[in-house]
Structures are given as structure tokens and as C-alpha cells.
Amino acid sequence: MSFDFPDYPAPFQEMFQAALRGEHDGCFALLALALESRLFPTISRSVPQEFPRRIPKHIAQFWDSTPPPDDILTAMESVRLAHPDFTYHRANADSARAFIEAHFGTDIAALYEACPHPAMLSDFWRLCYLHIKGGVYIDADVICHAPVTDITKGAHFKTLLPYSVGNPWCLDNDILIYEAGNPIMQHIMETMFHKVRAFVETGVFENVWAITGPGAMVMGTMNWIAQQLKTHDVPFKEIDSFLTDSGIIFIPHPHIEQALPTYSHFAYQQTTANWRRFRPNL
């Protein structure tokens, strides 16, 4: 194996090599250490400015059935009303499938259909949809207290990656903001395709979180970053500026919660419609 990242200090050298190989533990360890040590760029809470010009002022949401339950409809309406200068789109399971087949073909649409839980359908569709359209995705169970522009003040970016501190640290996909065709988000999307395809071919179901949710976000992001740093021979001390110039910025999830709290209680959360309660019958 080639000797990659020769000027990177331990343990970063080993972690970037592991991320380059797509190793699960290395990707998650790298995310935590890189953010904790401020190696990756994070959003500044500085002066207000316009929403990034490369990103359409467009909001997308998903609920598998039509119409959504009343409490979900109320939450969705709070998002729409808080963004009068944004266009708005709500998808359901059928319209999402039609969109995916139209833009990605029947094979990818079949992967979408193979997802055994509505949360996975939503995870799958949001990456496909924003890859084509760009803009903002917000989970259906978010009651909006302020416009999304309140969390993007003082930042120029092409993709905003929310992260949560925990065991493990992870990248969240409940709020996504990025331009159409963004290369790192395309890589995350393709990572998700690979994970769903592996589930279909083997019948081994890890969990929703790992296959289409934050787990896929972490794996795709760390692998892409490692590939780019190697391809462009980026010195260790220039990682922050390289990622900033690439338009990538990370944001702590508590900053998002100030405008878009994701901890509200809804009726569906007490049923198997909540992905945390889901156990597939395979």
C-alpha cells in the first residue's frame, strides 16, 4: 500500500488512511478528532449577510403518505410560513419515486423502493432531490422558530454539514443546505446507494441510521475528504483552507436548534413509523 499523508501527525495519518480505505471506525474517529481539534472549518457566528448565492432559496420536505398527520402538517406549515421568499416543495413516497426514476433511472429507483421504512425513503429522496435541485431540506417533524437564514449568517459555503457530539460523533441529515451537483454530497449519495445495494444483495440489515442516515453521511464525507486531500497533495496545515475554498463548512447542531428545533414530540414517534422503533422482518 502506498504511503499516504506523509506529513500528517499521528494519529491523523492513520485515520486519513483508514478513511481513504472506507473503514467504518476510522471514518467516525476522524470526524470526532478533526472537529474537536478544529482541523475542519466550522461556521462563524459573525455579521449577517445574504443567503449563499450559489444555493437556491428553495425548501423541500417529505412525508410518505398524503395527507400527512395533522401535527406534521402544522410543523410543515411553520417551515413554509417562516420562509416567504423561498419556494417550497413537499414530496410523498410515490412522487419521490417518480422523481428518482426520472433523474437517476430504474436501477436507483429500485434501490429506493427496497428501503423498508419511510425514514429511509426520506433519507434516500432528500439526497437525490437536492443533488438535482439544490436548496434546503428540513425534516417534517421540525417546528420552525426562525428562518434558516438565521443559522447561515456570516458564512460563504456550497454545502453546510451539521454535526452532533456524542458516542459516536455524527453528521446529521435532518437539515441539509447545499448547491445542486455538489461533489461531496454526490459522494455521500453514492455511498448511500452502495449501502442500500449491499442490504438488497445480502439481506443483512444493520439499521436505518447506518444505511441511509447519519452513518452514510459520515462514511461518505470522510472518504471524500481523504480522497481529495490525497489527490491534491494537501499539506496538513492547509486542510482547513482547502476545505473552506472547496465550499465545505461544518456547523454544530445546537446552532441549528436555535432556529429549527428537532426535539419536538409528535404522535408518530410512539409508533413503528419512528425509525428508532423499527425492526425489519427479513
Side-chain angles (χ1 to χ4, degrees), residues 105-122:
T106 55
D107 289 347
I108 299 302
L111 292 180
Y112 166 84
E113 288 187 318
C115 293
H117 192 272
M120 297 179 73
L121 299 177
S122 176

Side-chain angles (χ1 to χ4, degrees), residues 127-202:
L127 293 179
C128 293
Y129 185 81
L130 290 189
H131 181 69
I132 300 298
K133 298 289 188 179
V136 181
Y137 169 85
I138 299 174
D139 264 355
D141 56 358
V142 172
I143 297 176
C144 194
H145 291 175
V148 71
T149 48
D150 275 18
I151 64 173
T152 61
K153 293 174 180 176
H156 293 288
F157 60 86
K158 299 175 184 177
T159 182
L160 186 66
L161 294 170
Y163 70 90
S164 290
V165 175
N167 186 22
W169 289 44
C170 70
L171 295 175
D172 302 294
N173 67 344
D174 48 3
I175 313 291
L176 295 173
I177 307 174
Y178 58 93
E179 65 180 358
N182 184 269
I184 188 171
M185 298 307 297
Q186 179 177 352
H187 193 74
I188 293 168
M189 180 180 67
E190 291 170 351
T191 299
M192 177 190 65
F193 292 164
H194 174 76
K195 284 177 167 286
V196 176
R197 188 176 289 110
F199 155 61
V200 170
E201 292 175 352
T202 66

Side-chain angles (χ1 to χ4, degrees), residues 259-273:
L260 299 158
T262 58
Y263 49 79
S264 301
H265 298 289
F266 293 84
Y268 88 92
Q269 294 168 344
Q270 305 306 312
T271 72
T272 55

Side-chain angles (χ1 to χ4, degrees), residues 1-8 13 16-17 20-21 230:
M1 185 182 70
S2 62
F3 185 61
D4 301 313
F5 316 108
D7 77 322
Y8 288 25
Q13 184 184 88
F16 275 110
Q17 289 174 347
L20 192 64
R21 295 190 294 267
K230 179 185 177 183

Side-chain angles (χ1 to χ4, degrees), residues 14-256:
E14 294 84 0
M15 288 182 181
F16 275 110
Q17 289 174 347
L20 192 64
R21 295 190 294 267
E23 295 177 5
H24 178 277
D25 291 348
C27 287
F28 278 87
L30 176 59
L31 174 71
L33 184 59
L35 288 170
E36 196 168 27
S37 61
R38 301 181 183 275
L39 183 66
F40 292 167
T42 55
I43 199 165
S44 168
R45 304 295 291 170
S46 58
V47 294
Q49 64 182 36
E50 290 297 318
F51 194 67
R53 293 182 180 179
R54 297 177 66 99
I55 300 176
K57 285 190 170 184
H58 178 67
I59 291 175
Q61 294 192 283
F62 176 98
W63 191 260
D64 62 306
S65 61
T66 301
D70 289 345
D71 54 354
I72 293 295
L73 275 176
T74 299
M76 289 177 150
E77 186 67 0
S78 76
V79 170
R80 192 184 65 80
L81 291 176
H83 299 87
D85 57 339
F86 282 60
T87 57
Y88 180 87
H89 175 72
R90 185 174 79 217
N92 59 45
D94 292 336
S95 67
R97 189 211 177 281
F99 179 90
I100 291 167
E101 182 170 15
H103 292 279
F104 295 88
T106 55
D107 289 347
I108 299 302
L111 292 180
Y112 166 84
E113 288 187 318
C115 293
H117 192 272
M120 297 179 73
L121 299 177
S122 176
D123 290 339
F124 198 109
W125 169 80
R126 73 190 67 173
L127 293 179
C128 293
Y129 185 81
L130 290 189
H131 181 69
I132 300 298
K133 298 289 188 179
V136 181
Y137 169 85
I138 299 174
D139 264 355
D141 56 358
V142 172
I143 297 176
C144 194
H145 291 175
V148 71
T149 48
D150 275 18
I151 64 173
T152 61
K153 293 174 180 176
H156 293 288
F157 60 86
K158 299 175 184 177
T159 182
L160 186 66
L161 294 170
Y163 70 90
S164 290
V165 175
N167 186 22
W169 289 44
C170 70
L171 295 175
D172 302 294
N173 67 344
D174 48 3
I175 313 291
L176 295 173
I177 307 174
Y178 58 93
E179 65 180 358
N182 184 269
I184 188 171
M185 298 307 297
Q186 179 177 352
H187 193 74
I188 293 168
M189 180 180 67
E190 291 170 351
T191 299
M192 177 190 65
F193 292 164
H194 174 76
K195 284 177 167 286
V196 176
R197 188 176 289 110
F199 155 61
V200 170
E201 292 175 352
T202 66
V204 176
F205 185 87
E206 188 174 356
N207 56 61
V208 173
W209 188 92
I211 296 175
T212 59
M217 291 281 294
V218 172
M219 297 293 291
T221 300
M222 295 302 102
N223 180 252
W224 186 89
I225 289 175
Q227 287 183 17
Q228 296 303 304
L229 297 179
K230 179 185 177 183
T231 298
H232 297 281
D233 298 319
V234 179
F236 184 78
K237 64 181 180 180
E238 296 179 13
I239 291 175
D240 182 285
S241 60
F242 175 81
L243 295 179
T244 299
D245 291 344
S246 299
I248 299 164
I249 197 163
F250 295 81
I251 182 171
H253 206 277
H255 287 187
I256 289 176

